[in-house]
Amino acid sequence: MAAGGERAQAVPVLLPYPFAGPLDYAAPPDGEPPPGTIVRVPLRRREVLGVVWDKAGPGRAAPETLRPLAAVAGAPSLPRDLRALIDWLAAYTLAPLGEVLAMALRINPAPPKRRRRAQPFAAPDPDHPGPTLSPDQAAAAAALRDAVRAARFSVTLLEGVTGAGKTEVYFEAIAQTLKAGRQALVLLPEIALSAPWLARFRTRFGADPAVWHSGLGPALRRDTWIAVARAAAPVVVGARSALFLPFSALGLVIVDEEHESAFKQEDGVIYHARDMAVVRGRLAGAPVVLASATPSLESLANAEAGRYRHLLLPARHGGAALPAVAMIDLRRDPPARGRFLAPALIAAISETLARGEQAMLFLNRRGYAPLTLCRACGHRLQCPHCTAWLVAHRRGGRARLLCHHCGYVMDQPSACPACGAAASFTPIGPGVERITEEVADLFPAARHLVMSSDTIANAQAAQAAAAAVLERRVDVIIGTQIVAKGWHFPHLTLVGVVDADLGLAGGDLRAAERCFQLLHQVGGRAGRAGAPGRVLLQSFAPEHPVMQALASGDQAAFLAAEKAARRMGHWPPYGRLAAVIVSAGTAAAADALAHALARAMPAAHGVDLFGPAPAPLALLRGRHRRRLLIKARREVALQTLLRAWLAAVPVPRGAHVVVDIDPMSFL
């Protein structure tokens, strides 16, 4: 109750916790703060940060029960378009509203207790001399500048072959945004990509942009967050979480490598940053640019339907030619026993090194070997917490076995725990560490560099690796998918793919599309300067449509076949999918809840239910998992159906149900 007997005015405050909606608090004596105001409020026995929200929660509290709130002095507000994005994303993903807010409020915006001068962000110069654009680049850049000048929402798909100079083209859109006094956001799929990207940005604009990712320290995160809110950070480049920064003057959103699955957040609030970037642009009235050499079928379908503008850069910049692609049929030209590089690939590496050029070997598998097997009884070493084999790692002269899903690690046992045989374990199959061992044996004079998430953990490591390659202190690069995009190595002329078939396994809906995109991108690292490039793909299935498309360069025919198959079965992008993942502490509990959900699924036209079935990772971090997959026609209101269905089935204590709208991973 307010002073003088007046009833306290209820203010809805959204807290960054898994609440379905805002909670009510009492307005301060000087009146109700406007929506977006960051406040401190009591929650149980502590004080927490929250945001005054636009709409009240489903149940209003009695006035006499309201507890007071206090605005955070000097803290910027969350802008309206960001609050609208949070509302939209919660409704789309069926995630608790407060859990979505948490992604936008991961800093303490209050001034520090001790005064500290924040590092100012340099202003990029839009008129700083840039490279000379080709006619194709200039035409595309003019179209993007026009989209920025229009100052309204639009989406442009910028497609260009590897090495076409897409980055330089969308830099011109950033320059136009800066001239208009607006802010630009650039999303990259992996932070390791930021090192070469930042160097190109610095060359074009004479200054660095603000950078946003999970590796920033607390003080720099706070300074960056506040600078973005006050329009003191004109350009931000970041990982998917940068979508939730409080831009006060957002004028352009760019998603580079828009096809990348790394843009999908797979835990917590499950969302696709590419799709949410389009939503953020629409809510802010800003143009969006999606850039890729191998666009996703979703973006291509939107372009074909007229929802996105489609710009094409068909040739490499500076007259460089696309690399020639050839197959190595491992059934006819197998590696030597105990080896993984075929004679034809070894010969090509020798020729490349003899010319003083650089070679790259690509294998999308970390570690030394994916499986460790007992020769005596066949026992395989498996993670005790996950349905996954332990991966052998042999860095630093020490043999370790690691689970790439939960982080469990152990030394390789001296004897088999199943049969007791001593020294009986042998590695099966190669990882990049084993390929490195083979390269060192075959080419002892060659200097090699391993590029994987184990060795390139941050932007500094990526910068050091890039410098070593550019300064020609490296002859052979051995890498995982981290080498597939964003790098420009002018002396790299040969790319060898050790296992081109690896991405085709698993029965994933998008397996063929992803495999094509990845191998096309990694092959595109070759021949980006004057010397011609060459790509060799080792495969046991060279007749597969993906391999044939890569060898022939006929991307259009491959995509046409993929579209036809998806359209016929009403699969994305011509239909909708949602995965429901049930997890529990025991297999019986997971089965019981999954089958209860299946029985409660309402019959609906244009909707099919698959499952329940054990997930491919049926045990993950000690929890048993079951999956149900819902396929629906485009016209079905999928979220409405899911919300009503899931509400009808109580979830027992200790069990969890997670919804993944538009799943990218089926593990």
Side-chain angles (χ1 to χ4, degrees):
M1 189 77 71
E6 297 178 0
R7 285 182 174 272
Q9 185 178 2
V11 179
V13 177
L14 185 60
L15 305 181
Y17 303 103
F19 295 129
L23 305 180
D24 284 343
Y25 287 88
D30 55 351
E32 180 179 352
T37 304
I38 297 178
V39 296
R40 295 188 187 279
V41 297
L43 180 67
R44 298 186 177 94
R45 297 183 179 180
R46 59 196 178 111
E47 193 175 71
V48 299
L49 288 177
V51 179
V52 176
W53 215 244
D54 303 77
K55 294 181 180 179
R60 304 309 304 270
E64 61 273 11
T65 66
L66 296 180
R67 302 173 73 185
L69 61 81
V72 178
S77 297
L78 255 61
R80 177 180 296 179
D81 69 292
L82 178 54
R83 302 196 307 272
L85 175 69
I86 292 168
D87 281 329
W88 195 98
L89 180 55
Y92 187 81
T93 62
L94 277 65
L97 186 61
E99 195 170 355
V100 181
L101 171 67
M103 297 192 294
L105 206 62
R106 285 179 172 159
I107 57 100
N108 184 349
K113 293 181 179 179
R114 289 187 298 175
R115 288 278 178 186
R116 177 181 54 81
R117 292 200 62 168
Q119 285 292 104
F121 291 96
D125 180 6
D127 295 317
H128 193 271
T132 301
L133 302 182
S134 70
D136 286 337
Q137 286 179 309
L144 295 185
R145 283 193 295 265
D146 288 344
V148 173
R149 289 191 192 100
R152 62 174 181 267
F153 170 65
S154 63
V155 184
T156 301
L157 176 60
L158 177 62
E159 180 183 359
V161 299
T162 53
K166 297 179 290 297
T167 305
E168 282 70 24
V169 169
Y170 70 63
F171 276 175
E172 296 307 302
I174 294 175
Q176 188 63 45
T177 305
L178 294 172
K179 290 177 182 178
R182 308 286 288 174
Q183 294 171 287
L185 166 63
V186 182
L187 296 181
L188 299 179
E190 295 180 40
I191 195 56
L193 282 179
S194 66
W197 190 95
L198 287 171
R200 296 166 81 175
F201 186 93
R202 196 178 305 115
T203 299
R204 171 60 181 86
F205 293 102
D208 287 321
V211 178
W212 183 265
H213 54 79
S214 60
L216 299 181
L220 182 54
R221 285 178 71 82
R222 179 187 174 278
D223 290 347
T224 304
W225 195 92
I226 291 176
V228 170
R230 294 176 176 164
V235 181
V236 178
V237 59
R240 54 184 179 247
S241 60
L243 264 179
F244 301 96
L245 287 171
F247 290 92
S248 57
L250 187 59
L252 176 67
V253 181
I254 296 169
V255 183
D256 204 351
E257 308 289 357
E258 65 85 29
H259 65 278
E260 269 291 325
S261 59
F263 281 124
K264 184 68 185 280
Q265 169 103 357
E266 297 283 5
D267 54 3
V269 179
I270 301 176
Y271 69 95
H272 200 300
R274 176 198 63 219
D275 301 338
M276 294 309 107
V278 172
V279 176
R280 181 92 200 249
R282 177 172 59 81
L283 295 171
V288 178
V289 178
L290 308 178
S292 176
T294 54
S296 62
L297 285 187
E298 284 79 6
S299 294
L300 288 171
N302 279 316
E304 290 171 358
R307 290 184 287 269
Y308 294 176
R309 182 175 186 176
H310 195 178
L311 301 178
L312 185 63
L313 300 174
R316 283 188 158 180
H317 182 63
L322 288 169
V325 181
M327 305 298 303
I328 297 177
D329 188 339
L330 293 177
R331 298 168 301 189
R332 300 177 180 176
D333 186 18
R337 184 177 178 83
R339 300 286 195 177
F340 301 95
L341 304 182
L345 180 54
I346 294 171
I349 297 171
S350 298
E351 295 164 6
T352 301
L353 299 181
R355 293 193 300 267
E357 297 165 357
Q358 294 168 320
M360 175 187 287
L361 293 175
F362 172 76
L363 176 62
N364 199 21
R365 188 184 278 145
R366 295 162 52 200
Y368 186 84
L371 175 65
T372 301
L373 179 77
C374 173
R375 291 188 300 266
C377 71
H379 177 71
R380 302 178 179 192
L381 293 176
Q382 181 173 332
C383 176
H385 310 298
C386 304
T387 310
W389 310 123
L390 291 173
V391 178
H393 286 253
R394 294 191 179 179
R395 291 177 60 202
R398 180 184 176 192
R400 297 186 309 152
L401 298 168
L402 178 68
C403 176
H404 288 174
H405 299 285
C406 73
Y408 173 83
V409 64
M410 63 176 283
D411 291 330
Q412 182 172 307
S414 57
C416 176
C419 70
S424 62
F425 282 114
T426 186
I428 304 298
V432 286
E433 294 175 14
R434 198 169 192 182
I435 298 302
T436 303
E437 186 177 87
E438 186 170 341
V439 167
D441 186 53
L442 290 169
F443 307 100
R447 300 159 298 176
H448 59 262
L449 171 71
V450 178
M451 295 181 68
S452 73
S453 57
D454 294 320
T455 60
I456 310 293
N458 51 47
Q460 291 74 24
Q463 190 172 7
V469 177
L470 291 171
E471 294 166 8
R472 308 187 78 168
R473 291 184 277 119
V474 173
D475 301 306
V476 182
I477 303 165
I478 303 105
T480 62
Q481 65 180 3
I482 205 169
V483 304
K485 48 202 172 286
W487 308 96
H488 180 77
F489 298 142
H491 306 293
L492 177 64
T493 59
L494 174 68
V495 169
V497 178
V498 177
D499 186 352
D501 308 327
L502 185 59
L504 296 174
D508 192 323
L509 165 70
R510 297 179 176 88
E513 179 188 6
R514 285 182 184 168
C515 185
F516 178 86
Q517 290 167 338
L518 180 60
L519 296 184
H520 182 91
Q521 292 273 351
V522 75
R525 300 310 103 195
R528 296 172 71 94
R534 187 181 180 194
V535 180
L536 296 177
L537 307 175
Q538 294 192 158
S539 172
F540 283 103
E543 68 282 353
H544 192 282
V546 169
M547 302 305 150
Q548 290 296 304
L550 289 165
S552 67
D554 196 347
Q555 179 176 346
F558 168 73
L559 291 175
E562 277 288 298
K563 291 175 192 174
R566 304 259 193 102
R567 189 182 284 112
M568 184 180 299
H570 299 284
W571 297 102
Y574 308 105
R576 304 194 64 192
L577 283 182
V580 176
I581 303 100
V582 172
S583 66
T586 66
D591 284 331
L593 179 54
H595 283 93
L597 283 168
R599 288 191 298 269
M601 177 73 182
H605 177 70
V607 178
D608 296 308
L609 173 66
F610 302 95
L617 284 174
L619 182 68
L620 181 64
R621 302 183 186 96
R623 293 185 63 82
H624 297 266
R625 304 167 72 244
R626 305 293 182 263
R627 289 181 62 95
L628 301 96
L629 188 67
I630 299 90
K631 183 177 75 166
R633 301 284 183 99
R634 294 290 304 175
E635 63 271 15
V636 172
L638 186 57
Q639 281 80 359
T640 302
L641 182 148
L642 289 169
R643 197 173 286 110
W645 170 38
L646 297 177
V649 180
V651 178
R653 188 178 182 86
H656 297 289
V657 175
V658 174
V659 178
D660 183 357
I661 304 291
D662 307 321
M664 299 290 291
S665 169
F666 292 84
L667 294 177

